[in-house]
Amino acid sequence: MTTDWKHVLAANGKGAVVREGNRVDALIDGPETYQAMYEAIRTTFSKQGGFYIYLLAWWLDGEVPLSPGDRDSVFTAMLRRASQEFGVQVRVLLWKNRVASLWPFEPKAQDRLHDEIGKLPTGACLLDNVLPNPYIAHHQKVLIVKGAQGLIGFCGGLDIAFDRIRHVDLHDGSPFHDAHCRIEGPAACDLVDVFAQRWAAHPDAKSVDKAQEPLRGLADRTPLKGSGKPAGTLSVGIARTYLAPRQDVPPDRPDAWCAENFSVWPMLQAAIAAARRFIYIEDQYLVGMAAADELAAVAGRLQHITILVNGRTDLPYNRLGMAKFVYRLWQDTRLSARIRIFHLPPGNGSYIHAKTWVIDDELALIGSANVNRRGWAADSEAHAAIYDKPASAPAPSFAQRYRMRLWSRHLGVDPDSVRNGTDPTPWVTAANNDKVVTYDPFAQVSKKDAERFPDPNAIAMAPAALAAYVVGYHGPKTIKGVWDNILDPPARPAAPCPGSEKRCPR
């Protein structure tokens, strides 16, 4: 019996709208993803007209070559050619990163890209800090291309950055492991809507549109009915996290912000509850306790829950938060044997930046939202849920093929040898052979410390205290104060959007 994923993902109207008739390619790691982006952008190199390239990014290294050995494949060079030679509309929204100085990035890099892209004859770049408070981020990683082959959308965990294709000093574990997807079909229109939603919310967008032209993609925000042969056989739901500004009040009013779309978490919560056989997760942080509770609730009926995490991340107190997450999963000792957590051995390529799930070899989730509160209720995010027919021996489903490739990469085995997703034995074998490492949350963290995290009494130390200083946080400097306000803020009550039935995504 196959789960009715369309009904599940809708989450009683709070989740994703599913579009049928899509083609989707799962893209694993930077080189594969960037090559697909390169090929898509090249479809705009045509005098046909009306084409566009739109990008949403947390970070952008504009000098990244998208195709190995091809000097002309540098991302900004491709944008330049598309604009100058073919009149392609180029629009880029980059997060105005206030905390870049805390990481091994160059803080002024995004300003230079803003100026460079803005000088293109048909280009514009906005540094986006349109957010309810300075402690959250624009985290969507979406590329949309309309060229001679039609509309192509990309979403997932990858920004265009050097640390996805080679080792970068101070970026421990780079090149980072990540997951992305390429979408053709009606669901790509929902990615256009994700972009258009944020573009319209930026205070400088109207002046750009007036000086140049409005977004060409506005006509593509809603899929056309009866528009010809389907692009493929897959069903896709695009969920997002986004807080939009109200258009009818000054921005300094307390009610100037309204909840536009919080569909990522309801979709994920419903998918967990619908699992019947197993759940496989790859996540960068794994600190969203609501997910721990949902997973613990279904573990008793599943063959296994297998999770790949990082042995170490850049997030202060991540070790404590992850230990608390795992402690909740393992509180029922009868179920702990079914819940296994691993990380890769230290070294190049060991950092898990992916935010992806596979459930029952029927559903794949690929996006930008980590298992944390900010990804579900604060930062802007985009997540794709993908499914087709049930898995079977002669014809694996999309989700099964995707999982097999992931397991093959991490375990160093042939993909066909891990066809059975209900059997976690290959992970145990790989741990015994030092291909992966069994994660022990309590090797350096006591259960007592995990239980009381985040501590309301302990004073936050560097680098968390430094992060608080840089973003101008003036609240309690306790671990709990910094965690709840800066590192992993929860949802904040928001006023309803006037006319939201018209403004919310279709």
Side-chain angles (χ1 to χ4, degrees):
M1 183 180 72
T2 306
T3 300
D4 180 1
W5 290 112
K6 183 174 184 178
H7 174 76
V8 169
L9 298 175
N12 295 318
K14 297 179 181 180
V17 175
V18 171
R19 313 287 188 188
E20 299 176 351
N22 301 278
R23 173 190 166 181
V24 183
D25 297 319
L27 304 169
I28 298 175
D29 295 332
E32 185 172 292
T33 300
Y34 298 159
Q35 182 66 34
M37 290 178 173
Y38 166 77
E39 293 167 3
I41 292 172
R42 281 179 58 84
T43 70
T44 67
F45 295 174
S46 166
K47 296 293 187 181
Q48 184 174 330
F51 296 158
Y52 56 83
I53 301 169
Y54 298 158
L55 177 71
L56 300 174
W58 181 91
W59 183 264
L60 173 63
D61 287 332
E63 297 303 307
V64 167
L66 300 183
S67 185
D70 185 348
R71 294 182 179 179
D72 295 331
S73 74
V74 167
F75 182 71
T76 50
M78 296 192 77
L79 295 186
R80 189 179 309 114
R81 185 182 179 195
S83 176
Q84 293 177 345
E85 295 185 30
F86 303 104
V88 176
Q89 185 182 66
V90 175
R91 297 289 183 267
V92 176
L93 277 168
L94 302 177
W95 177 41
K96 189 173 177 60
N97 193 331
R98 296 186 62 192
V99 295
S101 59
L102 300 179
W103 276 273
F105 299 120
E106 185 184 353
K108 295 295 183 182
Q110 307 301 273
D111 295 297
R112 286 199 299 272
L113 283 166
H114 169 269
D115 296 342
E116 181 179 353
I117 295 170
K119 291 177 182 177
L120 299 177
T122 57
C125 177
L126 298 179
L127 297 180
D128 194 358
N129 198 33
V130 183
L131 292 162
N133 66 58
Y135 316 133
I136 62 179
H138 286 302
H139 199 241
Q140 292 163 334
K141 298 106 169 25
V142 172
L143 174 69
I144 305 146
V145 176
K146 187 169 187 180
Q149 294 180 13
L151 193 63
I152 303 171
F154 296 83
C155 81
L158 279 99
D159 285 307
I160 297 172
F162 281 111
D163 58 16
R164 310 308 163 88
I165 56 174
R166 59 175 170 79
H167 177 74
V168 174
D169 290 344
L170 302 180
H171 294 216
D172 291 343
S174 58
F176 298 164
H177 164 63
D178 220 324
H180 221 69
C181 61
R182 176 190 184 278
I183 302 172
E184 289 183 80
C189 295
D190 291 319
L191 291 177
V192 176
D193 191 59
V194 169
F195 182 90
Q197 180 185 52
R198 264 188 59 195
W199 183 264
H202 198 287
D204 296 336
K206 287 184 179 179
S207 61
V208 171
D209 292 345
K210 185 177 180 180
Q212 295 197 19
E213 62 173 324
L215 293 181
R216 294 175 183 174
L218 291 178
D220 297 322
R221 292 179 76 176
T222 304
L224 296 176
K225 294 183 178 180
S227 56
K229 183 180 178 182
T233 60
L234 294 169
S235 297
V236 179
I238 300 295
R240 72 193 87 175
T241 302
Y242 187 66
L243 279 171
R246 292 179 60 173
Q247 304 294 324
D248 61 331
V249 299
D252 57 347
R253 270 184 36 176
D255 61 346
W257 295 86
C258 57
E260 187 80 7
N261 195 306
F262 289 137
S263 53
V264 170
W265 171 240
M267 179 184 76
L268 180 58
Q269 184 180 31
I272 295 170
R276 294 175 291 109
R277 298 187 295 149
F278 76 92
I279 295 175
Y280 173 68
I281 307 167
E282 295 183 5
D283 194 72
Q284 183 179 7
Y285 297 128
L286 202 72
V287 293
M289 300 308 154
D293 293 337
E294 295 292 335
L295 289 168
V298 302
R301 69 168 183 261
L302 304 180
Q303 278 95 328
H304 70 95
I305 296 173
T306 299
I307 309 176
L308 185 65
V309 298
N310 279 306
R312 176 184 176 188
T313 72
D314 55 5
L315 178 68
Y317 306 115
N318 198 152
R319 185 178 289 127
L320 277 164
M322 197 182 302
K324 182 174 184 175
F325 188 101
V326 176
Y327 181 57
R328 288 195 180 188
L329 291 181
W330 286 353
Q331 279 186 314
D332 187 340
T333 56
R334 296 170 299 174
L335 302 178
S336 59
R338 302 185 190 187
I339 304 170
R340 297 179 175 89
I341 299 100
F342 302 91
H343 63 85
L344 299 180
N348 292 352
S350 64
Y351 192 96
I352 304 301
H353 194 270
K355 306 94 170 54
T356 192
W357 298 56
V358 176
I359 298 177
D360 293 342
D361 270 353
E362 294 180 10
L363 177 71
L365 296 146
I366 304 172
S368 64
N370 285 295
V371 179
N372 57 7
R373 293 182 304 188
R374 69 183 304 138
W376 304 331
D379 293 352
S380 60
E381 307 284 6
H383 229 79
I386 308 147
Y387 67 92
D388 58 351
K389 56 186 176 300
S392 62
S397 68
F398 172 90
Q400 184 180 16
R401 293 194 305 273
Y402 174 54
R403 178 195 54 76
M404 289 164 61
R405 290 186 61 208
L406 289 171
W407 286 20
S408 172
R409 179 208 188 275
H410 301 311
L411 307 182
V413 297
D414 184 87
D416 202 54
S417 69
V418 289
R419 180 178 288 260
N420 181 7
T422 63
D423 180 13
T425 305
W427 285 87
V428 177
T429 302
N432 292 335
N433 295 331
D434 297 324
K435 294 285 187 180
V436 296
V437 180
T438 301
Y439 174 69
D440 180 2
F442 307 120
Q444 295 176 300
V445 174
S446 71
K447 291 184 180 180
K448 183 178 180 181
D449 287 340
E451 273 191 290
R452 67 186 181 191
F453 176 79
D455 195 323
N457 300 311
I459 300 300
M461 306 301 288
L466 179 59
Y469 172 78
V470 168
V471 300
Y473 170 67
H474 300 296
K477 298 301 192 296
T478 62
I479 291 176
K480 180 173 175 58
V482 173
W483 181 264
D484 286 348
N485 288 282
I486 299 176
L487 301 177
D488 193 30
R492 295 285 190 266
C497 294
S500 60
E501 69 282 355
K502 297 178 182 179
R503 295 181 56 226
C504 285
R506 290 152 295 280

